[in-house]
Amino acid sequence: MSDTREQFRPTDHDNEHFLLTTVVGSYPKPEWHDRARELYEADDTGFDDDDWEESKDDASRVITHEHERAGIDVVTDGEMRRNEMVEYFAHRIDGYEFNGRVKVWGHNYFDKPSVVEDVEYDESWLVEEFEFTDEVADVPVKVPITGPYTLASWSFNEAYDSEAELAYDLADLVNEEIEALVEAGARYIQIDEPALATTPDDHAIVGEALEHIVEDVPDDVRLGLHVCYGDYSRIYPEILEFPVEEFDLELANGDFEQIDVFKEPEFTKDLALGVVDVHDAEVESVEEIKDNIKKGLEVVPPERLTVSPDCGLKLLPREVAYEKMANLTTAAREVEAELDAGEIDVPASE
Amino acid sequence: MTQVVATTTGLYPLPDGAKDELANLKGHQRSDLIDGTEGEEIVSAYEQAREDVIAVQQAAGLDRIVEGQLRWDDMLAHPLTVHDAVETRGIVRYYDNNNFYREPVVTGELTFDGDVSAELDAAADLVDDGLQAVLPGPYSLADLATDEYYGDQDAFLDAIAGFLAEETGAFPDVETLFLLEPSLVTDPPADGGERASEAIDTVAAAIDADVVVQTYWGALEEKVYAYLLDAGIDAVGYDLVSDHEQAIHNINEYGTTDDVALGLVDGQNTRVETSAEIRERIEWFLEGTTNDFETVYATPNTELFYLPVNKFEAKLESLAGAATEEVDA
């Protein structure tokens, strides 16, 4: 795979080194946008389709710019148009039906869909979101897309003989969507597979599904895979065989206890390292984040290190989410400068 | 002739109205979950929900009625997470599911608590006949928890078994007790299962009711299975949804209990089995074994909170419908 990282280096980047900074995707929704959804979903409020479209556009614009202000190199719109990472897609795929909410934990529920017949591509998933974000952003845009294994695994499967077969069919649909995204100009696509952490023994299914996804995707498109909250020793080193360029991993939440997993055998992909915890409302200091970034340098050299939060930021208060991003980019730029000055050892380069 | 008794494994989904009401009363954060000291409004919301799910079971025609375990925010870890000698820490994954519970850390002596018996007392007021208790089996409860008091694994398992036995001793009259033991399958005991079997025996001996040990997410390893049969229990529960072949193999190789529970309905899939399908599966099982069972409990394989309410209710009806007549072996 060719090096796709340089195209994201900002033209006014001050340092020789470039630690690509990005986010995993979701971001807290502005309160007025939540209120707009309530009005839209309630009866007889007079809040119509046009009003709701306007609210989504406004929220997308505001949050895209919020990422830019925080100094993030490759941004998202915080997924302002999406409600949830499986539901959103299932609503757009033929073959799914919804029966009601199920528990995730405590009083947190999700409308887990059921696959009741063969899945088929119906309406576009993310092209509109990408085109709008790309239009309003001055910097490159990343597209997070829920992976086929997670779409299969976090659904009830009533129609397929196995979850794997469902995942492969869904992978073909993801491939179709990615082709449309690439056509629209997307160059950085992140496949989200959090379900891999719940059932690590299925890594071969995820790998096979990814083969379906990457078919005919041009070389200059950067493909990443995001995994979080699992026992990584159960999927490493097998995941190195996956046809993606970058792994985006949650590690700050567990105080980097699992970082050693990726040192042996050698990590041969790019590492997008989670350096701030999205389940802790305390904002990490720049110094703390710099120390976290340096832990990434124990695994990969700087030219293969991407810096991001552990996971989507959506559960945090919005000001906390912003501060975390701002400190993350400050820390990354300071580490770059120190690397330029030769002040930091890079264990992974030795 | 074998009597088919339709029942469930408990841990029901909250009725949808109660989902919203309790989310509003309690909140969405880790610190908002049940700790056994909930106030009047929350208590009354759960009372209403309990009444609802008992009525649903009675209307469906189930032979055993469970309390529903609607308060069990931490699923099978609940009896510990409400205990005074237990601290709850981070949110951890519940087996290989997209579900999470608060990690219970035992920091003191596990004395009698009475939380579960209070729920059963409330249910007993609404159920004239066929009340069934549900508890985590001692091995699974120990597996879901962290010990910072007893010091070694064996002592911890014994303490958990003693604690559950004491809780069980305070129950009102119940017909049946289901001990849910998924960890026996997912994380089999290193010693082969002798101590787990003894722990189960301790709990079973504390109650004058039929005791069923429900195993799921696969079949037991052979050695673990053989040890389990040493415990003084009335029935082993087999997950025929996830691994029916190995279940039959274990039975034909090592024997079984006089009664059995069969996990025939998938607790984690919305596809609703018909009563006829359930009966076919029972008949398939009876044909594949040579025993004369007195009672076959027809059950879901797992807990039921994984399901949306409409499918959960439909599955109860199918189970009840499958148990209306006797079957021939």
Side-chain angles (χ1 to χ4, degrees):
Chain A
M1 226 173 257
S2 64
D3 174 24
T4 59
R5 174 183 293 263
E6 266 314 293
Q7 61 185 313
F8 302 111
R9 181 192 285 260
T11 45
D12 59 351
H13 192 67
D14 289 332
N15 301 318
E16 185 68 26
H17 281 87
F18 173 48
L19 300 174
L20 171 57
T21 61
T22 186
V23 289
V24 174
S26 73
Y27 195 77
K29 294 194 169 75
E31 280 172 30
W32 51 262
H33 188 43
D34 284 334
R35 176 79 186 123
R37 178 185 285 274
E38 285 168 18
L39 286 171
Y40 178 61
E41 288 174 353
D43 297 327
D44 305 325
T45 57
F47 197 91
D48 62 18
D49 287 348
D50 287 345
D51 296 328
W52 174 231
E53 287 306 315
E54 188 179 332
S55 180
K56 286 190 287 189
D57 286 352
D58 288 348
S60 173
R61 190 180 293 112
V62 165
I63 300 302
T64 302
H65 289 152
E66 197 153 310
H67 282 77
E68 291 180 314
R69 270 203 311 286
I72 297 287
D73 297 320
V74 181
V75 302
T76 70
D77 75 343
E79 302 178 1
M80 290 299 119
R81 295 166 201 277
R82 310 188 197 180
N83 46 353
E84 196 275 340
M85 66 179 301
V86 173
E87 273 175 66
Y88 177 86
F89 295 95
H91 275 295
R92 286 161 179 76
I93 300 172
D94 271 353
Y96 273 99
E97 73 172 30
F98 288 83
N99 284 293
R101 290 170 293 165
V102 301
K103 170 174 168 170
V104 179
W105 65 276
H107 290 288
N108 299 287
Y109 300 93
F110 102 102
D111 200 350
K112 183 173 175 177
S114 300
V115 176
V116 294
E117 54 189 86
D118 285 4
V119 292
E120 280 179 42
Y121 194 90
D122 185 12
E123 55 183 298
S124 164
W125 306 354
L126 297 171
V127 171
E128 191 192 335
E129 174 195 283
F130 170 75
E131 286 178 335
F132 185 90
T133 312
D134 198 41
E135 176 72 30
V136 302
D138 291 327
V139 301
V141 171
K142 172 159 99 174
V143 185
I145 182 167
T146 303
Y149 181 73
T150 297
L151 288 175
S153 183
W154 290 359
S155 306
F156 296 109
N157 170 20
E158 298 191 28
Y160 285 77
D161 287 341
S162 71
E163 198 169 272
E165 285 171 54
L166 171 58
Y168 301 149
D169 266 14
L170 286 165
D172 290 334
L173 308 190
V174 172
N175 173 260
E176 202 169 330
E177 180 66 15
I178 290 179
E179 274 182 27
L181 285 163
V182 169
E183 179 76 14
R187 287 297 175 270
Y188 196 159
I189 290 164
Q190 171 188 287
I191 318 286
D192 294 329
E193 288 287 18
L196 177 56
T198 62
T199 41
D201 297 339
D202 282 350
H203 55 75
I205 299 173
V206 176
E208 172 67 26
L210 284 166
E211 297 290 349
H212 288 240
I213 289 174
V214 301
E215 199 174 294
D216 300 326
V217 174
D219 277 354
D220 62 338
V221 174
R222 184 171 182 79
L223 280 178
L225 184 78
H226 170 68
V227 185
C228 51
Y229 307 104
D231 175 357
Y232 299 134
S233 67
R234 290 173 67 184
I235 56 173
Y236 192 83
E238 289 82 358
I239 58 171
L240 292 177
E241 301 296 319
F242 291 179
V244 295
E245 205 167 347
E246 177 176 85
F247 287 102
D248 186 287
L249 301 167
E250 160 269 324
L251 283 160
N253 179 258
D255 289 331
F256 295 87
E257 274 176 13
Q258 294 201 69
I259 191 104
D260 289 343
V261 168
F262 302 103
K263 292 179 183 170
E264 182 60 45
E266 185 190 349
F267 196 84
T268 51
K269 304 280 187 174
D270 284 15
L271 173 63
L273 181 76
V275 295
V276 296
D277 187 351
V278 304
H279 287 298
D280 185 352
E282 195 173 318
V283 178
E284 294 86 347
S285 67
V286 170
E287 277 312 309
E288 198 179 332
I289 298 172
K290 285 170 71 177
D291 286 342
N292 293 346
I293 293 173
K294 288 172 195 167
K295 293 195 175 76
L297 295 174
E298 295 170 16
V299 178
V300 291
E303 57 275 16
R304 287 202 278 126
L305 184 64
T306 301
V307 179
S308 80
D310 264 355
C311 195
L313 297 167
K314 73 173 175 187
L315 294 176
L316 292 167
R318 185 167 151 199
E319 60 280 7
V320 171
Y322 178 79
E323 289 298 325
K324 286 197 183 229
M325 291 197 303
N327 283 3
L328 178 152
T329 56
T330 304
R333 301 291 94 103
E334 289 185 13
V335 171
E336 287 167 351
E338 289 168 28
L339 283 164
D340 285 357
E343 294 165 6
I344 295 180
D345 290 335
V346 180
S349 297
E350 283 162 10
Chain B
M1 294 295 262
T2 298
Q3 182 72 34
V4 178
V5 171
T7 186
T8 61
T9 42
L11 287 92
Y12 285 176
L14 271 168
D16 284 329
K19 284 187 174 93
D20 295 321
E21 186 185 4
L22 284 159
N24 289 335
L25 289 171
K26 288 163 64 187
H28 291 269
Q29 301 304 312
R30 199 166 73 196
S31 54
D32 299 327
L33 300 186
I34 285 288
D35 61 7
T37 62
E38 56 268 32
E40 211 171 294
E41 269 186 307
I42 293 173
V43 168
S44 113
Y46 277 116
E47 275 172 4
Q48 182 59 53
R50 178 188 296 128
E51 269 181 46
D52 291 348
V53 299
I54 286 175
V56 164
Q57 295 171 80
Q58 289 168 333
L62 289 170
D63 301 305
R64 297 284 181 276
I65 307 294
V66 299
E67 186 270 340
Q69 293 73 43
L70 303 170
R71 286 171 66 248
W72 294 24
D73 283 339
D74 299 296
M75 290 79 90
L76 287 179
H78 169 85
L80 286 182
T81 52
V82 294
H83 197 283
D84 288 342
V86 176
E87 283 174 21
T88 55
R89 298 204 181 143
I91 297 285
V92 291
R93 191 175 293 286
Y94 186 63
Y95 297 99
D96 274 353
N97 297 297
N98 184 30
N99 297 103
F100 302 84
Y101 70 104
R102 292 173 299 176
E103 181 190 11
V105 182
V106 177
T107 55
E109 191 183 351
L110 289 172
T111 51
F112 175 75
D113 185 69
D115 183 277
V116 178
S117 58
E119 287 179 345
L120 280 169
D121 286 337
D125 293 342
L126 305 166
V127 179
D128 294 331
D129 198 25
L131 183 62
Q132 174 184 307
V134 173
L135 278 176
Y139 182 76
S140 296
L141 187 56
D143 181 46
L144 289 168
T146 299
D147 167 43
E148 288 187 0
Y149 179 76
Y150 290 97
D152 84 78
Q153 232 176 338
D154 293 344
F156 186 50
L157 180 58
D158 288 347
I160 296 263
F163 163 67
L164 288 175
E166 253 195 286
E167 297 299 305
T168 308
F171 286 177
D173 281 344
V174 297
E175 197 94 14
T176 317
L177 165 65
F178 264 62
L179 294 174
L180 308 190
E181 281 284 23
S183 294
L184 277 181
V185 177
T186 61
D187 190 15
D191 72 346
E194 187 173 7
R195 296 197 76 98
S197 174
E198 287 168 7
I200 288 167
D201 193 69
T202 301
V203 182
I207 191 167
D208 181 19
D210 290 329
V211 176
V212 181
V213 175
Q214 185 87 351
T215 63
Y216 49 100
W217 289 320
L220 291 174
E221 283 182 3
E222 294 185 17
K223 197 168 177 189
V224 177
Y225 179 69
Y227 272 125
L228 176 60
L229 293 178
D230 292 341
I233 57 174
D234 298 281
V236 172
Y238 303 87
D239 179 351
L240 300 189
V241 174
S242 65
D243 194 348
H244 52 273
E245 298 289 350
Q246 186 63 30
I248 293 272
H249 170 84
N250 281 347
I251 289 168
N252 290 333
E253 200 71 16
Y254 297 94
T256 181
T257 36
D258 291 343
D259 302 335
V260 285
L262 304 180
L264 302 158
V265 163
D266 193 339
Q268 298 188 288
N269 196 323
T270 44
R271 199 186 77 78
V272 178
E273 299 82 354
T274 63
S275 295
E277 276 178 288
I278 296 169
R279 292 193 68 83
E280 275 169 32
R281 290 175 193 184
I282 296 171
E283 278 154 22
W284 175 87
F285 175 85
L286 295 176
E287 279 163 21
T289 51
T290 55
N291 313 57
D292 287 323
F293 297 105
E294 283 171 32
T295 301
V296 167
Y297 295 93
T299 74
N301 59 336
T302 66
E303 318 96 307
L304 290 166
F305 69 88
Y306 307 101
L307 293 171
V309 171
N310 60 346
K311 301 294 182 175
F312 152 75
E313 293 185 356
K315 289 192 182 224
L316 297 197
E317 282 173 20
S318 291
L319 273 171
T324 46
E325 39 189 307
E326 293 190 332
V327 287
D328 289 313

